[in-house]
Amino acid sequence: MRVRASGSRSWIFVKIVDGIRRELGLGSLFDVSLAEAREEAARLRRTFREGRDPVTERLAAKREATPVLTFGDFAEPFIARMIQAHRNEKHRKQWLSTIRTYAADLYPQPIDSIETKDVLGVLEPIWLEKAETASRVRQRIEKILNAAKVEGHFAGDNPARLVGHLDQLLPRQPKSKGHHSALPYAELPSFMAQLRTRKGAAARALEFTILTAARTGETLHATWSEIDFNAAIWTMPGDRMKAGVEHQVPLSSAAIDVLTQLSQDRCDPSRKIFHNGKGSSLSNMAMMQVLRRMKRDDITVHGFRSTFRDWVGEETRHAREDAEMALAHQVGNKAERAYRRGRSLGKRREMMQDWAAFATQS
């Protein structure tokens, strides 16, 4: 008898088959007597002895009585509900696109019939070649099947679980490269001199990103409404930030110069600052392509944030906390952050001006 915290009582049948726990509900205590529960348990034991699986048989009978629920039928609405909690639009799109792209073969399958071999069929082609993507796909399939199990659409162990299951069948993935490759700060002035000779919105976006120590997405989705030229401040709303908190960047004179070159379309506050000429944002790879054209495949756009942090720590007396705030990292508790946000803006303005002076020296 299972007694839940709510006080409800029901009969369950539990059997270990080949090391796997199989469980079936036999009904409520008020609907099924002890004698009836024992009779049904005896029938289930006979079924197992005959080599049949009553769990599978029960699911089959349920399928015959109700429309087949496929993996796709369950996954799409589940993902739509789940990703509402993600503030980052890019992450929301990635969640759905990875499942649609890589788990497409699972979509037409009845969700209660998915087995380990089906999950392996999805993962094996990308497990080594696209290790990070494959890991995310596996985690997302596991989460979908766990949710389906909670709602009663799936029974048994999750075939997408890694530890003690898929890790015994899939080869070890190559180790992550770790941190984003960063340009040594001593090389930055010469790099910036080369970058400033290049034309195009992507080159200007990369220059602005370096001067502001911003993330790629923060730059690409910046609009003119976020720029206060009089105060020389770039204010990003919380819904665009990784931490979900409004972030202000004091703009150096060099950063203002970059914006001035592009300010002919400032009449539309909602327009993207860095766009493809038609008003749409540049792609996430636009700045990376600039690096490739400069023959700098050894570094990444995100790595320039590390370049900035290394320069502050090794070449200046600016406070570590101010550098972390410039990177939009969370520093201290909530009260400390609220206090520092106002107190350090002037200090950060001086720091960003020093950074620009270092980066743009000839």
Side-chain angles (χ1 to χ4, degrees):
M1 183 192 299
R2 171 179 285 158
V3 181
R4 298 188 182 276
S6 64
S8 66
R9 292 169 170 79
S10 60
W11 302 109
I12 60 168
F13 173 82
V14 179
K15 186 173 178 61
I16 306 300
V17 181
D18 296 329
I20 298 175
R21 177 187 173 97
R22 311 308 300 273
E23 181 177 309
L24 293 96
L26 304 180
S28 163
L29 172 66
F30 300 103
D31 297 326
V32 179
S33 69
L34 174 59
E36 290 172 330
R38 286 175 172 169
E39 182 180 347
E40 177 62 11
R43 186 190 69 79
L44 291 173
R45 291 190 188 93
R46 287 194 298 273
T47 302
F48 276 112
R49 285 198 299 270
E50 292 169 0
R52 293 156 49 202
D53 186 343
V55 177
T56 303
E57 291 179 0
R58 181 175 290 188
L59 288 173
K62 184 178 180 180
R63 279 202 302 272
E64 292 178 3
T66 59
V68 174
L69 180 70
T70 66
F71 179 87
D73 292 335
F74 183 84
E76 292 273 333
F78 167 75
I79 293 173
R81 295 194 307 270
M82 191 274 304
I83 62 177
Q84 290 178 2
H86 287 272
R87 289 186 294 266
N88 190 302
E89 178 65 22
K90 178 183 175 182
H91 290 171
R92 289 199 295 266
K93 290 180 179 179
Q94 283 181 342
W95 230 104
L96 186 57
S97 66
T98 52
I99 292 298
R100 284 179 173 175
T101 301
Y102 298 105
D105 289 346
L106 298 181
Y107 263 57
Q109 289 188 232
I111 197 165
D112 58 15
S113 70
I114 293 176
E115 301 176 355
T116 300
K117 62 181 177 62
D118 303 312
V119 179
L120 286 174
V122 169
L123 298 178
E124 285 178 333
I126 60 173
W127 189 250
L128 297 178
E129 183 180 346
K130 299 179 179 180
E132 185 175 352
T133 298
S135 294
R136 289 177 178 173
V137 170
R138 186 207 63 77
Q139 291 169 3
R140 289 165 184 174
I141 293 174
E142 182 180 22
K143 192 164 188 174
I144 290 168
L145 293 179
N146 277 340
K149 186 173 182 177
V150 170
E151 293 189 17
H153 305 300
F154 188 85
D157 294 328
N158 194 319
R161 70 191 187 282
L162 182 65
V163 179
H165 187 62
L166 291 180
D167 60 356
Q168 305 300 308
L169 302 172
L170 291 166
R172 186 184 296 275
Q173 290 180 316
K175 291 184 178 181
S176 170
K177 294 181 180 179
H179 298 295
H180 298 275
S181 301
L183 182 76
Y185 64 80
E187 299 178 24
L188 183 62
S190 61
F191 174 87
M192 287 291 280
Q194 296 176 43
L195 176 61
R196 294 175 115 187
T197 65
R198 293 187 168 269
K199 297 181 180 180
R204 299 290 71 75
L206 179 56
E207 183 181 356
F208 184 77
T209 299
I210 295 170
L211 291 171
T212 56
R215 298 181 176 92
T216 297
E218 293 166 3
T219 295
L220 295 182
H221 297 290
T223 63
W224 289 110
S225 64
E226 297 174 2
I227 306 297
D228 184 338
F229 279 92
N230 293 327
I233 288 179
W234 175 23
T235 302
M236 286 170 273
D239 60 6
R240 286 218 302 108
M241 297 304 298
K242 185 176 182 180
V245 179
E246 180 185 275
H247 179 55
Q248 289 187 311
V249 180
L251 297 173
S252 63
S253 55
I256 291 291
D257 288 343
V258 173
L259 296 176
T260 302
Q261 297 177 49
L262 306 167
S263 61
Q264 64 272 11
D265 56 6
R266 282 170 54 193
C267 56
D268 183 356
S270 64
R271 190 177 180 87
K272 296 288 194 298
I273 297 174
F274 304 98
H275 55 78
N276 59 8
K278 300 179 182 179
S280 299
S281 301
L282 295 173
S283 76
N284 288 333
M285 289 298 294
M287 289 187 276
M288 194 66 195
Q289 291 295 340
V290 173
L291 292 176
R292 290 176 179 173
R293 288 192 289 271
M294 295 176 71
K295 311 298 184 185
R296 295 309 305 258
D297 292 343
D298 57 322
I299 57 178
T300 65
V301 178
H302 196 87
F304 284 103
R305 286 164 57 83
S306 295
T307 303
F308 165 77
R309 187 64 185 85
D310 291 344
W311 171 81
V312 172
E314 298 181 25
E315 297 292 332
T316 80
R317 294 185 177 181
H318 293 294
R320 181 193 70 83
E321 292 83 359
D322 293 336
E324 292 298 309
M325 288 194 71
L327 294 168
H329 290 163
Q330 296 291 298
V331 179
N333 58 39
K334 188 175 181 180
E336 289 172 327
R337 291 197 296 270
Y339 175 68
R340 290 195 61 83
R341 186 158 54 244
R343 188 172 72 89
S344 69
L345 193 60
K347 291 186 175 183
R348 287 197 288 122
R349 184 179 298 283
E350 180 182 350
M351 180 173 60
M352 299 314 292
Q353 189 61 47
D354 288 347
W355 169 241
F358 169 76
T360 59
Q361 62 182 303
S362 56

